[in-house]
Amino acid sequence: MAGLGGGPAAFGRCTHAVVRALPESLCRQALRSAPGPDVDFARAEREHQLYVGVLKSKLGLQVLELPADESLPDCVFVEDAAVVCEETALLTRPGAPSRRKEVEAMKKVLESLNLNIVEMVDENATLDGGDVLFTGREFFVGLSKRTNQRGAEILADTFKDYAVSTVPVHDSLHLKSFCSMAGPNLIAIGSSEAAQKALKTMQQMSDHRYDKLTVPDDAAANCIYLNVPSKGHVLLHRAPEEYPESAKVFEKLKDHMLIPIANTELEKVDGALTCCSVLINKSSEL
Amino acid sequence: MTTEVGAETEVKKDAEQAGAGQAKDKPDEASRTTEDEKSRKASSEEPLDSSSVPVPTSPSSQKKAKDLSESKGISRFLPPWLKKQKSYTLAEPKEEAKKKTVREDQVIEAGDCQLPEEAPQPERSLKGAATEKEHSAKAEEKEEKRSVSSAETQPAKEDGKEIEVEKVAEEKEEKQVEKEEKQVEKEKRETKEVQTGEIKAESIPQKSPKKIKTVQCKVMLLDGTEYSCDLEKRAKGQVLFEKVCEHLNLLEKDYFGLVFYESSDQKNWLDPSKEIKRQIRSLPWLFTFNVKFYPPDPSQLTEDITRYFLCLQLRQDIASGRLPCSFVTHALLGSYTVQAELGDYDPEEHRSDYISEFQFAPNQTQEMEEKVVELHKTHRGLSPAQADSQFLENAKRLSMYGVDLHHAKDSEGVDIMLGVCANGLLIYKDRLRINRFAWPKILKISYKRSNFYIKVRPAELEQFESTIGFKLPNHRAAKRLWKVCVEHHTFFRLLSPEQPPKAKFLTLGSKFRYSGRTQAQTRQASNLIDRPAPHFERTSSKRVSRSLDGAPIGISDQSLLRDFPTARGGPAGDKVLDIEGAGQAKLKEGSREENGSPVKTPQLELIQDGKKLHSLKVDGENIYVRHSNLMLEDLDKTQDDLLKHQASISELKRNFMESTPEPRPSAWEKRRIPPAALQAPARHGSRAEGPCAGGSDADKSSHETLDIVEEKKQAEVGREEGVVIDETNKGKMQVATDAGETCKVELLSKKDSSSLPSDSSSSSSSESEDEEVGEYQPHHRAIEEVIREEQEEEEDANRKKEHQEKIKQPVEAPTEGSKLNVPVEHAAQVAAEALAQENAVTVATEEKKVSEEVKQDVGEEKEEEQLRLNGDVSHVDIDVAPQIICCSEPPVVKTEMVTISDASQRTEISTKEVPIVQTETKTITYESPQFDGSTGGNAGVLLSAQTITSESISTTTTTHITKMVKGGVSETRIEKRIVITGDADIDHDEALAQAIKEAKEQHPDMSVTRVVVHKETELAEEDEE
């Protein structure tokens, strides 16, 4: 109960992470925005294990790993199933009907953390966590193929302390397909026209002035920022092998502990770094 | 105006004036000034105790009394000057109050005052260098300006040097103008004097409402208690507000206000500058004390008691659901509330249900209460003040903190909510923020009928501004929203110099102050608070919250009040910060005011009023413009940067604050000033013809020398919306275009060939005449409102002028013209060459304003004028145009037109009402400087006078023709009083336009030098606000 969001200083604090293993069905059945090369499952698993390993070992988070469900090919992308802010978790109603059941397992694990759970029961509402950008001060919700106005309204009702602004998303799967928070008050944004337009929208809607970190590649703009007590600013970003130019931009962040993570396989099915975890900051007392 | 400094300057000015050959007027002026001062003093006292107000002036007192009693209703029937006087009188009290404050400040901080003067001196030199033509008169003006400017600049000295320089330049121009105006005024003095006398009389009665009956009124306080007191029936809102604040021992009161409800959800802020009765009409005298401006950072409040009241307000807001919070936040805030009111958790004392007496949320659950208890235990050791601070630190982060929501529909009829907050306007749809317009992005705010419009700065790659319209439930709602926007913008966006709270109080007796004061000013003022932390009892929020349940927001609590007293003597450190600065600021203001007042009492008052009006209008306009500029800058800057920036402009802001923002004052002022200068020697016939005027711009000095007989036709139209246009639109047109210069031109129209070169600078005036007429009404209305406000707060106006000037400077000295105008006015006042002249000047300026407004309506014309003005200062035009906020009163159709006219690009400054000002009766006087001269005819000899009255169905026209000989030039002055009566069915604007047109046609060879619009409207609509 550090208060509302604990202020910018507390942004990125995280104690727990929820992840989920990859089902083999992912390779052939996972939803794709566009056809492309097949997913190398073995490599995908390795990359994911590295990802989880960083969270667990390197950063010391308590990682709650859910088992894979072969009937849910996209279940590894846990981010879409829940939005957690402080002590409150909103269980979403994913825009893709095939993914609705992913929420069940998420609900159980979040309940185990004793969070205030809010479920999105309105059948007219859809919301993917990937469309929700929390800046520490406010929410931006992308209105995409997966997320609609009603879903955003429910999110606004759930997190009443914060302003919730909507951002139209057209050319990408999710809002966070081309942006994310790279630090307190720092938005990483892709260079595409759609990304820049969305950024302008967000800037206009906000009372705050955010710094922006523009990277050449939209996909690379999705990174994970953490504020780890013993390590300070930590940033998980796409590996230089994948996006060398964008990696150079990240490397200019002198105050950040940079951890490159490859995500080549899941990217084939529209997966980004943030998609694979739900980060939770659970204060010990409560 | 009686500041020490001011007195000195006055003397000098007088001497100078005498040198100029205006000695005749001097004595009169002096006497008048003294009277004015007295009256002012009295007026200043009035707010506190209306009964105790002394009646300084003699002959006019009777008139005043009559006026008071009859006031607005009678105004229609009163002669034009009487009307003017009324308006003036309204303004006077404020001015007086300001003066008093100034005086006090000066006395206290005499040393500081001098310092400020020193600062301005360099400016003087610069000014002097700049103005070649200016003679002793100019010097006088300069001095006045200096004093004024010094006052203005002093607070911002550190940051504002550059600005000052710019101001100086402007001042120079203004001085010139003023000189001209003065000359004209001298000629006109005679008339002015008469008017002044009347004015005084009027002012007095207002001040001392002896005859007024008292009414008991009740105020629901934030702690749920009820405060009741007896007020004079005619008391203004400020009186009650001051009483309440005194009762609460609250010094940082600018964040607060009084609310009255038309219905459970029709919340209206009581305008401190207007009579309560007119605002509430038939509603019971029941008010609620509420937070009006939620400070974004409560930790910057000086006193714990202020934070306490803010906490109480927020607890209401939260418990009622107006301020949405998450469960966790409800619990957290609740726990701080409990800590503040009950102290540390005590397991023995605090049983399981101790918490249930409180209401923390609209839907309070057992779970929440448990959480509150849990959290309460963790707050051990927090003092009540600390708990309040923690409460506020968390509450301020809520997204809806300080957001004033208004129901509306978008252009497609979709239900949305418009939220007004410190940063701008937020658009919500079902709790989702779908758009946001920061103040810097908004160029203009207006409303027409039930529509609310914002004109938005073009986006990066766009070339054109866009106007976005919203549909509100009704006209009142639109007006309410508009007012709230203007007030919030003014309060949060504008910075004003630091002033001591006392000064504010004294100075700002009216609402204008209250609403007018910016947050910056308030902070500065609070820095001066020097008292031990006041003891106050914390009333249990339980009661409040209980009462809140189900009950309408503020009022419900009343019954439940308990006094729960935890006496706390918070050791609030005495904060004596920036007192000097504040003092200086006050002094500056005072000096400014003084300058104006000392010169000629009655005239001064009139002039001040006029000036104020003008300045207010101008200031407002400028302010908005400047603001817009500022805002633009701000967009890219942090708040701190903004604050710093503003700080430099703070002085200007002060003016704004107090005066309320009005559009395009600067231009007007400039215009006014030049005319004065021109007028000074004798009336210069600056012909109303705009183009000609432009040509004539040539020189004020020339005008001075030439004695021109000015013919004035005053068409006073009494309408609900009535706009009185003197003589022809041309005059107005001219005025508008030339601003300062034009005014003279208009006057000149009479006989003298002496072209008003300076005036004509903006030659577009004549062209716009026709347009003006058409668009007139809206503008007039707007102007009228503005004027009233200005009148009420002459000082404010001055301040506004200053602010404007300041603002302009920061912006890029765009509004030099305005600045100049301001100084000119002051100078004119100080000069006291002829009270009448000054008055005339003010009138003239007003006319100019009107014309500007008209032009604005026309759109292009006004813009042109501004541009022209800007042309002088290039910056001004640009800045102004985008930034101008046009506020159109509901009746005004033209407002929208104006919006449309934006295409012309130049700012359409349709100032309707200053946010605060909404009076049932509005008297707007537009005069060209020459008028005064003609009317006053200092040296003139009356040849003949005749009065003709004619009536038609809806209009009554009274024509008063006066022929005089001045300086060898015969001057024929025609005053037409046109009373237009009728319901809403009658198109007053059209009727007025028709009347003006007819007047022009009847006297094609004459120019309109003054237009006084006295508008009486049913309280219902206007008063609501």
Side-chain angles (χ1 to χ4, degrees), chain B residues 71 102 108 120 224 293-294 299 326 379 453 469 476 553 686 692 695 712 740 789 906 923 986 988:
Chain B
S71 68
V102 173
I108 296 169
F293 303 110
Y294 290 75
S299 66
S326 66
H379 298 327
Y453 302 95
R476 290 186 180 183
I553 300 170
S686 58
C692 294
K712 298 177 182 178
E789 292 176 356
R906 298 186 177 175
T923 301
I986 298 174
H988 294 282

Side-chain angles (χ1 to χ4, degrees), chain A residues 40-61:
Chain A
D40 180 336
F41 185 76
R43 187 175 178 185
E45 272 198 320
R46 284 200 302 276
E47 288 177 352
H48 189 255
Q49 286 169 3
L50 178 63
Y51 176 91
V52 174
V54 166
L55 296 177
K56 188 185 297 181
S57 305
K58 201 159 191 173
L59 301 179
L61 304 184

Side-chain angles (χ1 to χ4, degrees), chain B residues 766-913:
Chain B
S766 61
E767 296 174 355
S768 61
E769 291 176 353
D770 296 345
E771 292 176 356
E772 291 177 356
V773 174
E775 295 173 354
Y776 233 6
Q777 298 171 351
H779 292 298
H780 287 296
R781 293 177 183 174
I783 295 169
E784 289 179 358
E785 292 177 354
V786 174
I787 292 170
R788 290 180 182 175
E789 292 176 356
E790 290 177 353
Q791 291 176 345
E792 292 176 355
E793 299 175 354
E794 293 177 354
E795 293 178 356
D796 292 347
N798 292 335
R799 293 179 183 176
K800 288 180 180 179
K801 292 177 181 179
E802 294 176 357
H803 291 299
Q804 291 175 347
E805 293 178 358
K806 293 178 181 178
I807 293 170
K808 291 177 181 178
Q809 293 175 348
V811 173
E812 291 177 359
T815 54
E816 290 178 356
S818 64
K819 293 179 179 179
L820 293 175
N821 293 337
V822 175
V824 173
E825 293 177 355
H826 293 295
Q829 293 176 351
V830 176
E833 293 176 355
L835 296 176
Q837 291 179 350
E838 291 178 355
N839 293 337
V841 173
T842 56
V843 175
T845 53
E846 290 176 356
E847 290 177 356
K848 292 178 181 179
K849 291 178 180 178
V850 173
S851 61
E852 289 178 354
E853 291 177 354
V854 173
K855 291 178 180 179
Q856 291 175 351
D857 294 350
V858 175
E860 295 178 356
E861 292 178 355
K862 290 182 178 178
E863 292 176 353
E864 290 178 356
E865 292 177 356
Q866 291 177 347
L867 292 176
R868 292 177 181 176
L869 294 175
N870 293 338
D872 296 346
V873 185
S874 67
H875 300 288
V876 175
D877 293 344
I878 297 169
D879 295 345
V880 174
Q883 296 174 345
I884 294 169
I885 297 172
C886 299
C887 313
S888 59
E889 296 177 359
V892 176
V893 176
K894 292 179 179 179
T895 308
E896 291 180 357
M897 294 299 290
V898 173
T899 305
I900 296 170
S901 64
D902 292 356
S904 62
Q905 291 180 346
R906 298 186 177 175
T907 48
E908 302 166 351
I909 304 169
S910 58
T911 40
K912 292 183 176 179
E913 296 174 354

Side-chain angles (χ1 to χ4, degrees), chain B residues 438-445 457 485-496 515-521 616-635 642 645-646 649-665 799-800 802-812 814-815 876 878-885 907 915:
Chain B
W439 292 128
K441 275 209 74 174
I442 300 176
L443 300 176
K444 186 170 81 176
I445 304 171
R457 191 181 299 279
C485 283
V486 172
E487 290 173 338
H488 274 72
H489 174 258
T490 303
F491 187 82
F492 290 111
R493 290 298 297 182
L494 302 182
L495 297 183
S496 60
S515 62
R517 265 191 190 174
T518 62
Q519 184 180 33
Q521 290 176 326
L616 291 174
K617 293 177 180 179
V618 175
D619 293 346
E621 293 176 357
N622 291 335
I623 293 169
Y624 278 106
V625 173
R626 293 176 180 176
H627 290 305
S628 60
N629 292 334
L630 293 175
M631 295 171 72
L632 291 174
E633 295 176 0
D634 292 352
L635 289 178
L642 293 176
H645 182 75
Q646 291 175 347
I649 304 166
S650 61
E651 293 176 356
L652 296 176
K653 292 178 178 178
R654 289 181 183 173
N655 294 334
F656 285 110
M657 301 296 292
E658 295 175 357
S659 60
T660 24
E662 296 176 358
R664 301 183 180 178
R799 293 179 183 176
K800 288 180 180 179
E802 294 176 357
H803 291 299
Q804 291 175 347
E805 293 178 358
K806 293 178 181 178
I807 293 170
K808 291 177 181 178
Q809 293 175 348
V811 173
E812 291 177 359
T815 54
V876 175
I878 297 169
D879 295 345
V880 174
Q883 296 174 345
I884 294 169
I885 297 172
T907 48

